[in-house]
Short mmCIF file of all heavy atoms in Angstrom, two decimals:
data_model
loop_
_atom_site.label_atom_id
_atom_site.label_comp_id
_atom_site.label_asym_id
_atom_site.label_seq_id
_atom_site.Cartn_x
_atom_site.Cartn_y
_atom_site.Cartn_z
N GLY A 1 -9.01 15.25 2.97
CA GLY A 1 -8.84 14.84 4.36
C GLY A 1 -9.01 13.34 4.55
O GLY A 1 -8.91 12.86 5.67
N GLY A 2 -9.26 12.62 3.46
CA GLY A 2 -9.45 11.18 3.53
C GLY A 2 -8.13 10.43 3.65
O GLY A 2 -7.07 11.03 3.87
N ARG A 3 -8.21 9.13 3.47
CA ARG A 3 -7.04 8.27 3.62
C ARG A 3 -6.85 7.42 2.36
O ARG A 3 -7.82 6.87 1.84
CB ARG A 3 -7.23 7.35 4.83
CG ARG A 3 -7.26 8.10 6.16
CD ARG A 3 -7.84 7.23 7.27
NE ARG A 3 -9.23 6.85 7.01
CZ ARG A 3 -10.29 7.57 7.35
NH1 ARG A 3 -10.14 8.73 7.96
NH2 ARG A 3 -11.51 7.15 7.07
N ILE A 4 -5.60 7.32 1.92
CA ILE A 4 -5.27 6.49 0.77
C ILE A 4 -4.17 5.53 1.21
O ILE A 4 -3.10 5.94 1.66
CB ILE A 4 -4.82 7.33 -0.43
CG1 ILE A 4 -5.94 8.29 -0.85
CG2 ILE A 4 -4.39 6.43 -1.58
CD1 ILE A 4 -5.57 9.26 -1.96
N PHE A 5 -4.46 4.24 1.08
CA PHE A 5 -3.53 3.17 1.43
C PHE A 5 -3.00 2.59 0.12
O PHE A 5 -3.78 2.14 -0.72
CB PHE A 5 -4.24 2.09 2.24
CG PHE A 5 -4.81 2.61 3.54
CD1 PHE A 5 -6.02 3.29 3.56
CD2 PHE A 5 -4.13 2.42 4.72
CE1 PHE A 5 -6.55 3.77 4.74
CE2 PHE A 5 -4.65 2.90 5.92
CZ PHE A 5 -5.85 3.58 5.93
N ILE A 6 -1.68 2.61 -0.04
CA ILE A 6 -1.06 2.23 -1.30
C ILE A 6 -0.20 0.99 -1.11
O ILE A 6 0.72 0.99 -0.28
CB ILE A 6 -0.18 3.36 -1.85
CG1 ILE A 6 -0.99 4.66 -1.99
CG2 ILE A 6 0.45 2.97 -3.19
CD1 ILE A 6 -0.12 5.88 -2.25
N ASN A 7 -0.48 -0.06 -1.88
CA ASN A 7 0.38 -1.23 -1.91
C ASN A 7 1.58 -0.89 -2.80
O ASN A 7 1.53 -1.02 -4.01
CB ASN A 7 -0.37 -2.44 -2.46
CG ASN A 7 0.51 -3.67 -2.58
OD1 ASN A 7 1.67 -3.67 -2.17
ND2 ASN A 7 -0.04 -4.73 -3.15
N THR A 8 2.65 -0.42 -2.17
CA THR A 8 3.80 0.07 -2.93
C THR A 8 4.57 -1.05 -3.63
O THR A 8 5.44 -0.76 -4.45
CB THR A 8 4.75 0.88 -2.03
OG1 THR A 8 5.18 0.06 -0.94
CG2 THR A 8 4.07 2.14 -1.52
N SER A 9 4.24 -2.29 -3.35
CA SER A 9 4.85 -3.39 -4.08
C SER A 9 4.36 -3.42 -5.53
O SER A 9 5.08 -3.89 -6.42
CB SER A 9 4.52 -4.74 -3.43
OG SER A 9 5.02 -4.81 -2.12
N LEU A 10 3.15 -2.92 -5.76
CA LEU A 10 2.57 -2.95 -7.11
C LEU A 10 2.17 -1.59 -7.66
O LEU A 10 1.80 -1.47 -8.82
CB LEU A 10 1.33 -3.86 -7.12
CG LEU A 10 1.56 -5.32 -6.77
CD1 LEU A 10 0.23 -6.08 -6.78
CD2 LEU A 10 2.55 -5.97 -7.71
N ILE A 11 2.23 -0.56 -6.81
CA ILE A 11 1.82 0.78 -7.24
C ILE A 11 2.98 1.73 -7.03
O ILE A 11 3.48 1.89 -5.93
CB ILE A 11 0.59 1.28 -6.45
CG1 ILE A 11 -0.61 0.36 -6.67
CG2 ILE A 11 0.26 2.72 -6.84
CD1 ILE A 11 -1.78 0.64 -5.74
N ASP A 12 3.40 2.37 -8.12
CA ASP A 12 4.45 3.38 -8.07
C ASP A 12 3.79 4.71 -8.42
O ASP A 12 3.41 4.94 -9.56
CB ASP A 12 5.55 3.04 -9.06
CG ASP A 12 6.73 3.98 -8.98
OD1 ASP A 12 6.87 4.66 -7.96
OD2 ASP A 12 7.51 4.03 -9.95
N ASP A 13 3.59 5.55 -7.42
CA ASP A 13 2.87 6.80 -7.64
C ASP A 13 3.73 7.98 -7.21
O ASP A 13 3.98 8.19 -6.02
CB ASP A 13 1.55 6.79 -6.84
CG ASP A 13 0.66 7.98 -7.16
OD1 ASP A 13 1.09 8.88 -7.91
OD2 ASP A 13 -0.47 8.00 -6.66
N ASP A 14 4.18 8.75 -8.18
CA ASP A 14 4.97 9.94 -7.89
C ASP A 14 4.10 11.18 -7.77
O ASP A 14 4.59 12.26 -7.51
CB ASP A 14 6.02 10.17 -8.99
CG ASP A 14 7.07 9.09 -9.00
OD1 ASP A 14 7.37 8.52 -7.93
OD2 ASP A 14 7.60 8.79 -10.10
N ASN A 15 2.81 11.02 -7.98
CA ASN A 15 1.88 12.14 -7.96
C ASN A 15 0.87 11.95 -6.84
O ASN A 15 -0.33 11.79 -7.06
CB ASN A 15 1.17 12.24 -9.32
CG ASN A 15 0.39 13.52 -9.46
OD1 ASN A 15 0.64 14.50 -8.76
ND2 ASN A 15 -0.59 13.51 -10.34
N LEU A 16 1.36 11.96 -5.59
CA LEU A 16 0.52 11.72 -4.43
C LEU A 16 -0.30 12.97 -4.09
O LEU A 16 0.19 14.09 -4.24
CB LEU A 16 1.36 11.31 -3.22
CG LEU A 16 2.13 10.01 -3.38
CD1 LEU A 16 3.05 9.79 -2.19
CD2 LEU A 16 1.18 8.83 -3.55
N ARG A 17 -1.49 12.75 -3.61
CA ARG A 17 -2.33 13.87 -3.17
C ARG A 17 -1.79 14.44 -1.87
O ARG A 17 -1.37 13.69 -0.98
CB ARG A 17 -3.76 13.39 -2.98
CG ARG A 17 -4.43 13.08 -4.31
CD ARG A 17 -5.86 12.69 -4.18
NE ARG A 17 -6.63 13.64 -3.38
CZ ARG A 17 -7.91 13.46 -3.10
NH1 ARG A 17 -8.55 12.40 -3.54
NH2 ARG A 17 -8.56 14.35 -2.35
N ASP A 18 -1.83 15.75 -1.75
CA ASP A 18 -1.34 16.38 -0.53
C ASP A 18 -2.48 16.77 0.41
O ASP A 18 -2.25 17.33 1.47
CB ASP A 18 -0.46 17.58 -0.83
CG ASP A 18 -1.18 18.68 -1.60
OD1 ASP A 18 -2.39 18.55 -1.86
OD2 ASP A 18 -0.53 19.68 -1.94
N ASP A 19 -3.72 16.44 0.02
CA ASP A 19 -4.86 16.77 0.86
C ASP A 19 -5.47 15.53 1.53
O ASP A 19 -6.58 15.58 2.05
CB ASP A 19 -5.93 17.51 0.05
CG ASP A 19 -6.47 16.68 -1.11
OD1 ASP A 19 -5.88 15.62 -1.44
OD2 ASP A 19 -7.50 17.08 -1.68
N CYS A 20 -4.74 14.42 1.49
CA CYS A 20 -5.17 13.18 2.12
C CYS A 20 -4.02 12.58 2.92
O CYS A 20 -2.86 12.87 2.64
CB CYS A 20 -5.59 12.15 1.05
SG CYS A 20 -7.09 12.55 0.16
N MET A 21 -4.36 11.75 3.88
CA MET A 21 -3.35 10.97 4.58
C MET A 21 -2.94 9.83 3.65
O MET A 21 -3.81 9.13 3.12
CB MET A 21 -3.90 10.38 5.89
CG MET A 21 -4.20 11.40 6.96
SD MET A 21 -2.69 12.13 7.65
CE MET A 21 -1.82 10.72 8.25
N ILE A 22 -1.66 9.68 3.45
CA ILE A 22 -1.15 8.63 2.56
C ILE A 22 -0.41 7.59 3.40
O ILE A 22 0.45 7.93 4.22
CB ILE A 22 -0.17 9.23 1.51
CG1 ILE A 22 -0.83 10.37 0.73
CG2 ILE A 22 0.36 8.13 0.60
CD1 ILE A 22 -1.98 9.98 -0.16
N TYR A 23 -0.76 6.33 3.19
CA TYR A 23 -0.12 5.22 3.89
C TYR A 23 0.52 4.31 2.84
O TYR A 23 -0.19 3.74 2.01
CB TYR A 23 -1.14 4.42 4.70
CG TYR A 23 -1.85 5.24 5.75
CD1 TYR A 23 -3.04 5.91 5.45
CD2 TYR A 23 -1.33 5.36 7.03
CE1 TYR A 23 -3.70 6.66 6.42
CE2 TYR A 23 -1.99 6.11 8.00
CZ TYR A 23 -3.17 6.76 7.68
OH TYR A 23 -3.82 7.49 8.64
N LYS A 24 1.83 4.23 2.88
CA LYS A 24 2.56 3.40 1.92
C LYS A 24 2.91 2.07 2.59
O LYS A 24 3.61 2.05 3.60
CB LYS A 24 3.83 4.11 1.47
CG LYS A 24 3.58 5.37 0.69
CD LYS A 24 4.89 6.01 0.28
CE LYS A 24 4.67 7.26 -0.54
NZ LYS A 24 5.95 7.85 -1.00
N ILE A 25 2.42 0.99 2.00
CA ILE A 25 2.58 -0.33 2.58
C ILE A 25 3.08 -1.29 1.51
O ILE A 25 2.37 -1.54 0.53
CB ILE A 25 1.24 -0.83 3.16
CG1 ILE A 25 0.74 0.15 4.23
CG2 ILE A 25 1.36 -2.22 3.74
CD1 ILE A 25 -0.70 0.43 4.18
N PRO A 26 4.28 -1.84 1.66
CA PRO A 26 4.79 -2.81 0.68
C PRO A 26 4.18 -4.19 0.93
O PRO A 26 4.87 -5.15 1.32
CB PRO A 26 6.29 -2.79 0.92
CG PRO A 26 6.42 -2.46 2.39
CD PRO A 26 5.26 -1.54 2.70
N ALA A 27 2.88 -4.31 0.72
CA ALA A 27 2.12 -5.49 1.15
C ALA A 27 2.59 -6.79 0.50
O ALA A 27 2.71 -7.81 1.18
CB ALA A 27 0.63 -5.27 0.89
N ASN A 28 2.84 -6.77 -0.80
CA ASN A 28 3.28 -8.01 -1.44
C ASN A 28 4.64 -8.46 -0.92
O ASN A 28 4.85 -9.65 -0.67
CB ASN A 28 3.32 -7.84 -2.97
CG ASN A 28 1.95 -7.83 -3.57
OD1 ASN A 28 1.10 -7.04 -3.17
ND2 ASN A 28 1.72 -8.68 -4.55
N THR A 29 5.54 -7.53 -0.75
CA THR A 29 6.87 -7.85 -0.22
C THR A 29 6.75 -8.41 1.19
O THR A 29 7.40 -9.40 1.54
CB THR A 29 7.77 -6.59 -0.23
OG1 THR A 29 7.83 -6.09 -1.57
CG2 THR A 29 9.16 -6.91 0.27
N MET A 30 5.91 -7.79 2.01
CA MET A 30 5.70 -8.26 3.38
C MET A 30 5.06 -9.66 3.37
O MET A 30 5.42 -10.52 4.18
CB MET A 30 4.83 -7.28 4.15
CG MET A 30 5.50 -5.94 4.40
SD MET A 30 4.36 -4.71 5.08
CE MET A 30 4.14 -5.36 6.73
N ALA A 31 4.11 -9.87 2.47
CA ALA A 31 3.44 -11.17 2.37
C ALA A 31 4.42 -12.27 1.97
O ALA A 31 4.38 -13.38 2.50
CB ALA A 31 2.28 -11.09 1.38
N GLU A 32 5.32 -11.95 1.04
CA GLU A 32 6.35 -12.92 0.67
C GLU A 32 7.21 -13.27 1.88
O GLU A 32 7.62 -14.41 2.06
CB GLU A 32 7.22 -12.37 -0.45
CG GLU A 32 6.53 -12.31 -1.79
CD GLU A 32 7.34 -11.58 -2.86
OE1 GLU A 32 8.42 -11.02 -2.55
OE2 GLU A 32 6.87 -11.55 -4.01
N GLY A 33 7.45 -12.28 2.73
CA GLY A 33 8.27 -12.49 3.92
C GLY A 33 7.65 -13.45 4.93
O GLY A 33 8.37 -14.06 5.72
N ILE A 34 6.33 -13.57 4.92
CA ILE A 34 5.69 -14.53 5.83
C ILE A 34 5.27 -15.81 5.10
O ILE A 34 4.59 -16.66 5.68
CB ILE A 34 4.50 -13.92 6.60
CG1 ILE A 34 3.40 -13.42 5.69
CG2 ILE A 34 4.97 -12.82 7.54
CD1 ILE A 34 2.12 -13.00 6.41
N GLY A 35 5.69 -15.93 3.85
CA GLY A 35 5.53 -17.20 3.15
C GLY A 35 4.32 -17.37 2.27
O GLY A 35 4.12 -18.44 1.72
N ASN A 36 3.50 -16.33 2.07
CA ASN A 36 2.35 -16.49 1.20
C ASN A 36 1.95 -15.14 0.61
O ASN A 36 1.38 -14.29 1.31
CB ASN A 36 1.17 -17.11 1.96
CG ASN A 36 0.06 -17.54 1.03
OD1 ASN A 36 -0.20 -16.93 0.00
ND2 ASN A 36 -0.61 -18.63 1.40
N ILE A 37 2.22 -14.96 -0.67
CA ILE A 37 1.94 -13.70 -1.36
C ILE A 37 0.45 -13.34 -1.29
O ILE A 37 0.09 -12.17 -1.32
CB ILE A 37 2.41 -13.78 -2.84
CG1 ILE A 37 2.32 -12.42 -3.53
CG2 ILE A 37 1.62 -14.80 -3.61
CD1 ILE A 37 3.36 -11.46 -3.10
N LYS A 38 -0.41 -14.35 -1.16
CA LYS A 38 -1.85 -14.09 -1.13
C LYS A 38 -2.31 -13.42 0.17
O LYS A 38 -3.46 -13.04 0.28
CB LYS A 38 -2.62 -15.39 -1.37
CG LYS A 38 -2.44 -15.89 -2.78
CD LYS A 38 -3.33 -17.07 -3.05
CE LYS A 38 -3.18 -17.46 -4.52
NZ LYS A 38 -4.23 -18.37 -4.93
N SER A 39 -1.43 -13.28 1.14
CA SER A 39 -1.81 -12.61 2.39
C SER A 39 -1.62 -11.09 2.32
O SER A 39 -1.89 -10.39 3.30
CB SER A 39 -1.04 -13.21 3.57
OG SER A 39 0.34 -12.98 3.42
N ALA A 40 -1.23 -10.58 1.16
CA ALA A 40 -1.05 -9.13 1.00
C ALA A 40 -2.36 -8.39 1.29
O ALA A 40 -2.35 -7.30 1.88
CB ALA A 40 -0.55 -8.80 -0.41
N ASN A 41 -3.48 -8.98 0.91
CA ASN A 41 -4.77 -8.33 1.17
C ASN A 41 -5.02 -8.14 2.66
O ASN A 41 -5.52 -7.10 3.09
CB ASN A 41 -5.92 -9.11 0.51
CG ASN A 41 -6.10 -10.50 1.09
OD1 ASN A 41 -5.18 -11.13 1.60
ND2 ASN A 41 -7.31 -11.02 0.97
N MET A 42 -4.66 -9.13 3.47
CA MET A 42 -4.89 -9.03 4.91
C MET A 42 -3.93 -8.03 5.57
O MET A 42 -4.28 -7.39 6.56
CB MET A 42 -4.80 -10.40 5.57
CG MET A 42 -5.92 -11.33 5.19
SD MET A 42 -7.52 -10.71 5.76
CE MET A 42 -8.59 -11.31 4.47
N ILE A 43 -2.75 -7.89 5.01
CA ILE A 43 -1.82 -6.86 5.49
C ILE A 43 -2.43 -5.48 5.27
O ILE A 43 -2.45 -4.63 6.16
CB ILE A 43 -0.44 -6.99 4.80
CG1 ILE A 43 0.24 -8.28 5.27
CG2 ILE A 43 0.43 -5.76 5.08
CD1 ILE A 43 1.48 -8.67 4.48
N MET A 44 -2.97 -5.28 4.08
CA MET A 44 -3.62 -4.00 3.77
C MET A 44 -4.85 -3.77 4.65
O MET A 44 -5.09 -2.65 5.12
CB MET A 44 -4.00 -3.93 2.29
CG MET A 44 -2.81 -3.93 1.34
SD MET A 44 -1.73 -2.50 1.48
CE MET A 44 -2.73 -1.24 0.70
#
């Protein structure tokens, strides 16, 4: 019943848990879009 947040820019997971909420966030790609890859952590 917990939550798993996945940076899909760096994590490719085909074996997701079905008993947790899964949030897929392409954080690195989004960070590149605003001009600084190091902001991926703040997106997450």
